[in-house]
Structures are given as structure tokens and as C-alpha cells.
Amino acid sequence: MTIIEKIRKPFDAVRSVVRFEPLETDAVARRLARCANVDDLRAVARRRLPRGVFDYIDGGAEDEVTLAGNSQAFRDVTFQPRVLRDVGVVDTTAMLLGTPLPFPLALAPTGFTRIADPAGELAVARAAARAGLPYTLSTMGTQSIEAVRAVSAGRLWFQVYVWRDRGLVADMVARAAAADYEALVITVDTAVLGRRERDVRRGFSLPPKIGLGTLVDGVLHPAWTLDLLRHEPILFANVAGSSARDGTSAVSLSEYVAAQFDPSLSWRDVEWFRSLWSGPIVIKGIQTVEDALIAADLGIEAVALSNHGGRQLDHAPTPFSLIAPVVDAIGDRVEVICDGGVRRGSDIVKAIAAGATACMAGRAYLYALGAAGERGVDRCLTMLHDDVKRTMALIGATNLTSVDRSSISGA
Ligand code: GLV
């Protein structure tokens, strides 16, 4: 070996293993490249959003026992993986409300989505449409029924709370029908607002006010604050201009709910909704077998087993734990959606194994929106879909009809 070759050898050895990636100049792509799962998106959102905003999204009621329990319920389940089953082709498609979807997930309604990103509901609806999944717009949305339809040719559902002013509710339902929303989702777990103690401590209001208390938070998160100031004010877009307060002045959510929501809501009102809405109805917030049976007897198309993401009654049962008993009681009369705690596609597969038709997820996409805007939501939905497919392959299931209680233990 010549002297030159001797000198070059170690350099060549290093060169053979070192690969410098081209520098990524797109900040969002850089951020997303480091996110391998929903928890990573949550960590980025936590850094980027003011603490009050992050805690409003992330937090739950009282001791947050139910909030934690919703996800824990999935972790307590183990798969019973079958091997040597030829999983060369895995089909993740499912039916929901009589229509196929690429994998069994609907995007849950979340209020005030624009606090996570200025495009808010428009960004989420566009991402959901690209993924072929239904997106549920909340009554407490910060984009209107019509504005969301204008950006999405996909499946849209409309969620209603019941305002004391029934005329306002009937008007919103009629607008959703006119804008070709597919299903009406009636949330029934919010007779009064749960006590979200993180919001209480921070004096969090909606829309967020940039007062003295939040000024420091705002200065520490300049990108978010500039976005808020640069865009049109955040309002309850679907009640804007009505007699109900539309968010032109900041208000605490509990004050707002106490003033506007009707705590006398009862099963009779569900019949009233039936007279207003000819499409499918989903009752969201069912937490017992008994109430699921009432919904089934009323001919409701789907129930969403939900404790509002642990934001209402603390120590409520987890949606996952309700799937098997509810499905056993109501059979296939009603579709069963598991809403709460979904952070991975494997959670969705576990819910299907227990007997659910599909899952709903809210926080997962809000974290993604707060972390990286619309592209974050795209990434989140792709990750969940990929997870479902990989999990199915690893448990030896080529389609979702073969995923059943024998696929898991602990349902
Ligand atoms: C609204 O639905 C909330 O849970 O804050």
C-alpha cells in the first residue's frame, strides 16, 4: 500500500458510512420529520402553543382520571397475534353509516379549532377529505357550516349541542342539510360543563383574550400570537350574529355553556331532531348499556361511546370498556363508534376487535394541527392509517371482518 493509500484508507472508511442528508429548508417538513407518532405531535404542539391554549386542548375534567383512563384502556389490551396467515395484501376498508371508508375513523368535533391554527376547521376538513374520512364540524366551531363545505367535497357530519334557543338549533340543522352534511351528531354529555381545572387556574377564556395574564404566554409563543393578530377574530362562527353570544367578547366556556345550553335536554328532543333531519343521526356521549338500548329502540343509526375525551364527568367509564357490553346488548341494530383515547392505529384495531364499527379521534388531530397546521393533520391521518395496516399484518388479519374478540385479550 502506498503512503497516499494509507492516509486515504480511514477517510474512505468514514465516507462509506456517512451520508449527509440535504439540508431541509422547509421548517414544517423539518418539524414533521421528527414526529414518529401522535405523542410526538403533542410534544411539538406543547412547545408551539401558548400554555393556556395547549392546556385547553390537552386537559380534562377534575383529576383527569378519565382522560388518562381512556388511553390506558387501550394499553391494557394485548393482541393475540396469528402467524403464517399470508398478509401480502391487507385491506383496511370499513363501512360506516352505509358508506365505505379507507379505514374505520371519523374525525370528532372539537370546539374552537382555530385556536390551534388560524385555518382551523378548514384545514382539518381538507385533510379529512384527502384521507377519505368523515369530518365532524362542531356547533362551537370557529368556521361556519358553509365555509367548511366550500373547502371540502368529502363526507361532513354536523355536531349539535342544544341551545336554549331551539330556533337557532333548527336553523343550524337546516343549514347543515342544505350544505349536504351527511349525518347529525347530537352530543348528550354536556348538560353542564365539566370542570376543567387547568382552564380554571389559567383563567382561560374563549376566544382567548390577550390580557395581562396571557401577555407573557403570548410573548413566549410569538408565532402563534402573530398568527392570531394577523387573522380575522376567532368567533363561534355558526352562531355569529345571532342572539346567542357569538364570541365577539371573551367569555369563560363554563359561563357560556351555562347561559346558552339547555340542561333540560331529554330523549324527547332526540325525536324532535328526527323530525328536522332526514339523514343518519349519531348520539355522542352514550356511557351505559341502558342508554345505548334506548337509542337503539329509537332507531338511531349510530351511538358514539364517549365521555367527551375525559372533559366532562371525571370517573366516567372508558369508551373502550363499553364496546363489548353495548354491542352484546344492541347487536347490529346500531353502529357503535368508540370515541376517546385513540392515539395509535393499533387502538383502532383493538376497538374493532372488541366489536366497534369505527373510532373517533379529536385530540390526535388537534395536536397535529397545533404542531404543523394542515400538513400536520395530513401526517397524523396517514400515520394512523399506516398503523392500522401494519397492526393488521402483524396480527395476521387481511381484512377487518376477520378482526374480532379472538384477536385480543382483555375486551
Ligand atoms: C368543547 O366541546 C369542549 O370540550 O371544550
Side-chain angles (χ1 to χ4, degrees):
M1 199 185 282
T2 67
I3 189 95
I4 302 275
E5 279 167 343
K6 268 197 187 135
I7 293 169
R8 272 186 49 189
K9 202 170 168 215
F11 287 105
D12 285 349
V14 170
R15 246 211 339 256
S16 71
V17 291
V18 171
R19 294 276 182 282
F20 288 108
E21 297 291 334
L23 204 62
E24 178 57 78
T25 50
D26 176 346
V28 175
R30 250 198 333 268
R31 224 177 291 145
L32 282 175
R34 289 195 291 268
C35 292
N37 59 32
V38 169
D39 277 351
D40 289 345
L41 291 165
R42 174 181 178 274
V44 176
R46 190 165 199 259
R47 276 201 308 277
R48 292 181 55 78
L49 299 174
R51 291 312 302 257
V53 169
F54 178 78
D55 276 342
Y56 168 69
I57 292 169
D58 191 60
E62 300 180 13
D63 292 316
E64 302 189 343
V65 170
T66 297
L67 170 65
N70 285 354
S71 290
Q72 189 59 44
F74 287 113
R75 292 198 194 104
D76 290 342
V77 175
T78 48
F79 287 111
Q80 312 246 50
R82 300 300 305 271
V83 296
L84 299 174
R85 286 243 174 144
D86 183 359
V87 288
V89 179
V90 172
D91 175 8
T92 61
T93 56
M95 297 291 283
L96 185 59
L97 298 181
T99 311
L101 72 176
F103 70 106
L105 181 72
L107 280 75
T110 56
F112 316 102
T113 307
R114 285 192 56 221
I115 62 173
D117 178 86
E121 291 84 353
L122 302 186
V124 184
R126 282 190 292 251
R130 273 192 293 277
L133 302 175
Y135 168 64
T136 317
L137 175 66
S138 164
T139 333
M140 308 288 270
T142 44
Q143 296 281 3
S144 73
I145 293 168
E146 295 78 12
V148 170
R149 172 48 85 202
V151 299
S152 165
R155 294 174 74 174
L156 294 175
W157 296 357
F158 183 63
Q159 176 267 344
V160 275
Y161 285 116
V162 182
W163 256 246
R164 291 178 198 270
D165 176 353
R166 295 298 160 98
L168 178 63
V169 179
D171 182 51
M172 283 192 282
V173 171
R175 284 168 56 197
D180 204 19
Y181 279 55
E182 175 191 6
L184 193 65
V185 178
I186 308 172
T187 300
V188 293
D189 56 19
T190 313
V192 296
L193 196 76
R195 187 171 165 81
R196 292 99 187 250
E197 294 180 359
R198 296 198 215 181
D199 298 349
V200 173
R201 282 185 209 106
R202 292 192 190 280
F204 183 68
S205 67
L206 287 160
K209 55 178 184 289
I210 307 289
L212 210 56
T214 46
L215 198 59
V216 176
D217 218 358
V219 168
L220 290 174
H221 301 88
W224 181 92
T225 308
L226 279 176
D227 266 346
L228 179 78
L229 299 175
R230 264 203 306 255
H231 291 83
E232 71 273 22
I234 298 179
L235 298 177
F236 305 126
N238 289 307
V239 293
S242 76
S243 56
R245 288 174 75 168
D246 60 7
T248 29
S249 59
V251 63
S252 87
L253 187 59
S254 53
E255 242 178 74
Y256 187 83
V257 167
Q260 307 298 344
F261 288 16
D262 188 349
S264 74
L265 181 69
S266 73
W267 285 107
R268 269 196 311 282
D269 296 282
V270 174
E271 291 166 29
W272 176 69
F273 277 112
R274 192 52 103 188
S275 72
L276 295 180
W277 181 261
S278 58
I281 291 182
V282 182
I283 300 217
K284 177 171 173 286
I286 294 290
Q287 300 171 71
T288 57
V289 170
E290 290 77 5
D291 282 341
L293 279 167
I294 298 176
D297 291 342
L298 283 174
I300 294 304
E301 283 75 11
V303 290
L305 307 175
S306 173
N307 50 42
H308 213 113
R311 299 164 74 79
Q312 285 295 100
L313 174 70
D314 204 11
H315 304 279
T318 66
F320 180 81
S321 70
L322 285 168
I323 298 172
V326 164
V327 170
D328 290 346
I330 64 179
D332 57 8
R333 283 193 287 164
V334 180
E335 294 190 348
V336 173
I337 299 170
C338 175
D339 169 64
V342 172
R343 298 291 180 273
R344 290 188 175 275
S346 57
D347 298 338
I348 299 173
V349 178
K350 288 174 181 176
I352 301 299
T357 315
C359 285
M360 265 184 163
R363 280 193 191 82
Y365 76 70
L366 283 181
Y367 294 142
L369 189 67
E374 187 164 337
R375 288 159 66 190
V377 183
D378 281 333
R379 167 60 68 90
C380 171
L381 299 179
T382 305
M383 281 192 316
L384 292 174
H385 192 178
D386 290 348
D387 280 356
V388 168
K389 192 165 183 180
R390 183 184 344 98
T391 303
M392 287 174 66
L394 290 173
I395 64 170
T398 51
N399 56 52
L400 285 171
T401 34
S402 63
V403 174
D404 58 23
R405 290 194 197 149
S406 71
S407 312
I408 52 171
S409 55

